[in-house]
Amino acid sequence: MEVDVFTLFPEWFEWFRTQRHIANAVAGGSTLNCVSYRDHTPLTGGQVDDTPFGGGAGMVLRVDVVDAALRAHYDCDPVTLSESRRVVALTPGGRMLDEELVNELASEPSLTLLCGRYEGFDERIIEHLATDSISIGRYVLAGGELAAMVVCDAVMRKLPGALGHEDSVMEESFSAALGGAPEYPHYTRPAQYREWGVPEVLLSGHHERIKEWRFEQSRQRGDAARERPLP
Ligand code: 6GU
């Protein structure tokens, strides 16, 4: 998979790229590129944003700047990009990221992530240049960069070779193997710590009973999560 992140802070991703599962995915043939809006802005002094029409606080990322950066990187009219790849604007008002959307994105051959800053994007970016807008939760971040990292982390760990042990994505939280429920609890040595023990069944060596216990725990956690009132 080819992932391109458009951002005002490409250097933030240098650390992110060193994370083991990202580095593994890249070693497995995937790419994670960063493009700086500032390197492609047609405006003077590296300007990328402007005050909102109609007034109000903050600054808005300009449509001509994003258009120029996409055009320079892909060497085409960005309006035609949607034919060949998903172009995702990261914005708090977008479609909520969940495991289903992560799987959808992980099956794409290429992905473009647009990070906004300040008050966000000129709406024409979302309307004409992006194919999707995605949010990572019902709260506001200062910019889309951390959200882009969340999307990359969740998506790239699904790519071949990312985790090093392929079955760990099969039976994890929200997977089909667990019926979409959260994962069961894990324990490791020591079996007794202070007065805290470990469920007997896990020490029994009885694989069938362990499997049943885990599935039941996962199911109960799913029920508990569903019973929590929605915001
Ligand atoms: Cl994608 N961007 C920003 N700025 N804030 C957010 C978000 C995205 N998702 C949740 N909050």
Side-chain angles (χ1 to χ4, degrees):
M1 173 182 239
E2 179 190 296
V3 182
D4 298 329
V5 181
F6 287 69
T7 168
L8 288 167
F9 302 99
E11 68 280 2
W12 288 22
F13 290 83
E14 278 160 34
W15 159 80
F16 180 69
R17 213 192 299 276
T18 67
Q19 299 302 295
R20 174 59 54 83
H21 60 289
I22 303 297
N24 283 349
V26 168
S30 294
T31 59
L32 175 59
N33 288 313
C34 287
V35 180
S36 169
Y37 294 124
R38 257 187 243 291
D39 288 349
H40 300 287
T41 179
L43 308 171
T44 54
Q47 187 189 348
V48 294
D49 58 348
D50 225 317
T51 54
F53 284 130
M59 300 291 273
V60 176
L61 190 61
R62 287 175 55 131
V63 62
D64 51 350
V65 169
V66 176
D67 188 79
L70 288 168
R71 189 181 299 268
H73 189 72
Y74 296 112
D75 195 25
C76 70
D77 182 344
V79 168
T80 66
L81 264 182
S82 61
E83 294 159 18
S84 56
R85 59 199 299 135
R86 303 268 289 257
V87 180
V88 174
L90 292 150
T91 163
R95 171 177 169 191
M96 205 63 71
L97 186 69
D98 61 10
E99 195 63 10
E100 190 186 344
L101 180 51
V102 168
N103 286 326
E104 210 179 292
L105 296 176
S107 71
E108 296 284 334
S110 52
L111 206 58
T112 299
L113 302 178
L114 304 177
C115 303
R117 272 269 133 186
Y118 320 114
E119 286 305 294
F121 297 95
D122 184 302
E123 189 64 21
R124 292 168 290 183
I125 296 166
I126 294 165
E127 202 175 322
H128 300 292
L129 302 179
T131 60
D132 300 72
S133 59
I134 293 179
S135 166
I136 64 163
R138 296 170 61 81
Y139 45 81
V140 178
L141 301 168
E145 281 76 14
L146 289 174
M149 288 185 205
V150 167
V151 172
C152 280
D153 188 295
V155 168
M156 293 186 82
R157 66 187 289 286
K158 306 258 183 190
L159 302 179
L163 296 185
H165 40 98
E166 291 302 324
D167 53 7
S168 51
V169 293
M170 291 302 293
E171 203 173 283
E172 65 180 8
S173 291
F174 318 117
S175 62
L178 294 179
E183 201 173 16
Y184 44 78
H186 298 286
Y187 298 87
T188 187
R189 281 174 284 276
Q192 193 69 40
Y193 182 68
R194 295 176 54 175
E195 65 277 27
W196 309 322
V198 167
E200 252 336 293
V201 60
L202 297 180
L203 309 173
S204 70
H206 197 303
H207 297 296
E208 203 51 42
R209 274 175 44 215
I210 291 171
K211 207 171 151 187
E212 279 165 23
W213 180 86
R214 284 177 164 169
F215 196 80
E216 180 54 25
Q217 289 287 315
S218 168
R219 203 187 56 77
Q220 281 177 20
R221 288 183 163 194
D223 288 346
R226 266 188 298 281
E227 278 155 25
R228 247 173 260 139
L230 284 168

